[in-house]
Amino acid sequence: MKKGLKKTDLPRFIADVMLGSLSRWLRLFGFDTLYRNDFTDKQLIKLSLQEDRVLLTRDIALAKSKLLKKVLLIQSEEIKEQIKEVLLSFCSKLDLLNLKPRCPVCNGETESIKKEEIRGQLPDYVLFSNQEFIICKSCGKIYWKGTHKEKIDEVKKEILKNLK
Ligand SMILES: [Zn+2]
């Protein structure tokens, strides 16, 4: 079930309580995604309307709500499939290639940071074995291109094959 979907604008999302893991992944892909494990249906609908966010939900009854303008019912229980459902519905190749990751923890924007600036804040082996780091502008958490990056690239590759 889909409603109000257009591929023209970069979408922003809000996800229901069952989609915590999907939310973190969408943030890593670079999508602005609101998530809290205690949002009520009422709050989800309100925020979706107020902030023009697509509601992602696994709840059929909620997806059917006449109040909602933008909603995507997530069918799969499997995370990779869920990511594909969202990205294939919304995003263009260009988006996917150009988006900067957002912080998976707080949804904040990130920026690149030089190794010299974070010396002492991360274990030496991490600093030693990685070259590229990003920092969350909101919560200050530092990330580096490790396992996440590989998994993201793998999913990206699969999705890009299916996108025009
Ligand atoms: Zn953060």
Side-chain angles (χ1 to χ4, degrees):
M1 185 186 306
K2 293 183 197 175
K3 193 155 92 177
L5 306 192
K6 271 187 267 163
K7 285 203 183 184
T8 44
D9 307 319
L10 191 65
R12 300 192 304 157
F13 300 109
I14 181 165
D16 80 13
V17 291
M18 291 162 86
L19 298 172
S21 165
L22 177 62
S23 301
R24 284 190 294 279
W25 277 101
L26 290 174
R27 288 170 178 170
L28 283 168
F29 271 98
F31 291 97
D32 181 341
T33 307
L34 275 192
Y35 172 81
R36 267 185 29 197
N37 61 9
D38 60 353
F39 275 147
T40 62
D41 286 2
K42 223 174 160 182
Q43 285 173 311
L44 289 169
I45 293 173
K46 197 174 153 200
L47 284 164
S48 164
L49 293 172
Q50 264 176 3
E51 302 187 7
D52 192 30
R53 291 175 182 274
V54 180
L55 175 64
L56 306 173
T57 182
R58 297 220 58 218
D59 179 343
I60 297 176
L62 179 59
K64 280 184 178 163
S65 164
K66 293 212 165 58
L67 297 169
L68 283 165
K69 292 207 173 103
K70 294 182 176 178
V71 60
L72 178 68
L73 180 67
I74 301 293
Q75 315 275 350
S76 179
E77 283 179 31
E78 207 271 311
I79 183 62
K80 214 157 143 186
E81 290 305 313
Q82 292 182 342
I83 297 170
K84 278 198 213 168
E85 283 181 48
V86 176
L87 297 190
L88 290 175
S89 296
F90 291 100
C91 97
S92 70
K93 229 174 213 178
L94 207 69
D95 294 340
L96 210 52
L97 293 171
N98 291 322
L99 285 176
K100 254 206 223 168
R102 294 179 84 100
C103 176
V105 175
C106 80
N107 196 35
E109 288 180 24
T110 63
E111 61 189 0
S112 301
I113 188 161
K114 292 206 182 82
K115 212 183 243 206
E116 302 81 65
E117 296 176 56
I118 49 174
R119 221 170 276 283
Q121 294 182 54
L122 290 174
D124 282 348
Y125 73 90
V126 174
L127 285 171
F128 187 71
S129 53
N130 293 279
Q131 296 310 318
E132 291 178 67
F133 298 86
I134 54 173
I135 185 166
C136 172
K137 291 197 233 172
S138 300
C139 75
K141 215 168 171 328
I142 296 164
Y143 301 93
W144 57 95
K145 292 189 176 175
T147 10
H148 272 135
K149 172 77 175 137
E150 276 161 37
K151 267 199 226 161
I152 284 185
D153 285 347
E154 186 193 318
V155 180
K156 262 190 192 174
K157 224 187 257 169
E158 277 182 48
I159 289 170
L160 285 172
K161 271 192 263 168
N162 295 301
L163 281 176
K164 298 225 166 63

